[in-house]
Amino acid sequence: MSKILTSSRRDLSLEFPLLMGILNVTPDSFSDGGSFNSADGLISRVDEFLFHKVDIADIGGESTRPGSDGVSTEEELKRVVPAVMLSAANGLYVSVDTMKPQVAYESLMAGAAMINDVSGFRDPDMVAVCAEFGCSVCIMHMLGEPRSMQENPVYGDVVEDVKKYLLDAAERCIRAGIKESSICIDPGFGFGKTLEDNYKLLAGLENIRSAGFPVLAGMSRKSMIGNVVNKPPVKRLAGTLAAHTAAVLNGADIIRAHDIEETSDMLKVLRMLKTAGGKCLR
């Protein structure tokens, strides 16, 4: 597997897991909805990312929590593009979390370097846009779509099923002109999975990574944490850090998180462990 995630704007080294900070410019995201969709909130979040040297700023303008309704392309553009422009102007490596090809196009024009598509690049127009710009892409597994994904998720072998889905999607993207070295994959914790499915995927991350692509893990404050610790999203930090530590030890290359300072500290400690010869780190 390449130690570099390539993009026409800037390449990222994968020598050690990267921190992707979540920047939701939405009023209704499950954990931090409304926190950063004002000018002051956005500027504060960008300053936080810069202070803690976040590797990737992941900007989303449409909630994909279970049961959520979509927003129009026009509304999503109104939310996302100013955040992309501000973040890119401050030197951040910007990812945009979107399922819409037009939002991806306008975001890449505004300075984004990555598109993070939770629908797994099912839309050929989305693939074509990313191939045209030569950006990095994150292919995520989701069973169905946000409104119905949690109704009755069923798998034969969840790790193997998700791995095959991601491999097939990656191959489709490569055939359409996206560079293999520009692709990372995400098993999609919480997107059409039972509690048990989520933890099987966490335990099986090394298997998913054996597909040959860098792996992104995003479990921050999700119900797979809350249903174990029995706490609301804002009180799930300790559980989230435990899950993300396990993800790194099982081979994750990118950790997507709400809690920037704490996750950065966790990654610093694991980096020190690797420097000291820790056998549990790749």
Side-chain angles (χ1 to χ4, degrees), residues 10 23 25 42-43 45-47 49-50 56-59 80-96 110-112:
R10 190 199 315 169
L23 205 178
V25 283
L42 174 59
I43 291 168
R45 188 63 161 174
V46 168
D47 286 345
F49 284 3
L50 292 168
I56 306 169
D58 192 45
I59 298 171
V80 166
V81 171
V84 171
M85 294 177 68
L86 177 65
S87 300
N90 278 278
L92 289 169
Y93 185 102
V94 177
S95 165
V96 173

Side-chain angles (χ1 to χ4, degrees), residues 117 120-121 137-141 165-166 169-170 173 183-187:
D117 181 359
F121 288 83
V137 301
C138 182
I139 304 170
M140 198 195 80
H141 175 275
Y165 174 100
L166 293 170
C173 288
I183 296 172
C184 66
I185 57 178
D186 177 353

